[in-house]
Amino acid sequence: MKKIAIIMGSDSDLPVVSKAADTLKSFGVPFEVHVFSAHRTPDEVRLFAEKARANGFGAVIAAAGMAAHLAGAIAASTTLPVIGIPIKSGNLGGIDALLSTVQMPGGIPVATVAVDGAVNAALLCIEILAVTDEALEKKLLQKRREDAERVLLKNAEIEKQFNN
């Protein structure tokens, strides 16, 4: 199975990024976590991205706040899918990071999840790997069934409380 790279622009992003790691771990998907900055360590970002496919990665999650150029910098140097997580930081509540991540020029795509959307970033990577991995697809389907059951249980509780 291919592994997933989780790259964060700063270690201050770890509380959000750890949710992606936890999600990948719960599905048994191997991953690595690194801290590289698009602005402070651009050479390391480029080298990591250029070698990612050869190093066994199937997709890359890139989390960054504020100017949030990390996902785009990685995408510019690899043909692997890159999923950007805009991180809520600074005075603009993550809107700056969201706009920086989602507005990529034609030819260099970056999939972007919600601000602080680490779980969905991990699930999107799992879906990408599940295209060729039936066991992983079954785990995804099971998770969706369990999620639906939790919602229906909550619905029954609310109905019981209010619809008597």
Side-chain angles (χ1 to χ4, degrees), residues 3 32 47-48 51-57:
K3 58 188 173 180
E32 290 183 11
L47 288 172
F48 184 90
K51 295 178 180 181
R53 184 180 298 274
N55 287 333
F57 292 98

Side-chain angles (χ1 to χ4, degrees), residues 2 6 11 17 22 25 29 33 38 62 79 88 102 106 123 130 135 141-143 147 149 157 160:
K2 298 281 186 180
I6 303 174
D11 65 342
V17 166
D22 292 343
K25 195 178 302 179
V29 174
V33 180
T79 56
K88 184 177 181 179
V102 78
L123 288 172
L141 290 170
Q142 179 63 31
K143 181 195 183 322
D147 289 350
E149 288 172 11
E157 292 171 10
K160 185 178 179 180

Side-chain angles (χ1 to χ4, degrees), residues 130-149:
V131 167
T132 58
D133 186 326
E134 288 183 32
L136 207 48
E137 180 190 18
K138 288 178 183 177
K139 289 180 182 180
L140 280 167
L141 290 170
Q142 179 63 31
K143 181 195 183 322
R144 288 192 180 186
R145 282 190 293 272
E146 292 169 359
D147 289 350
E149 288 172 11

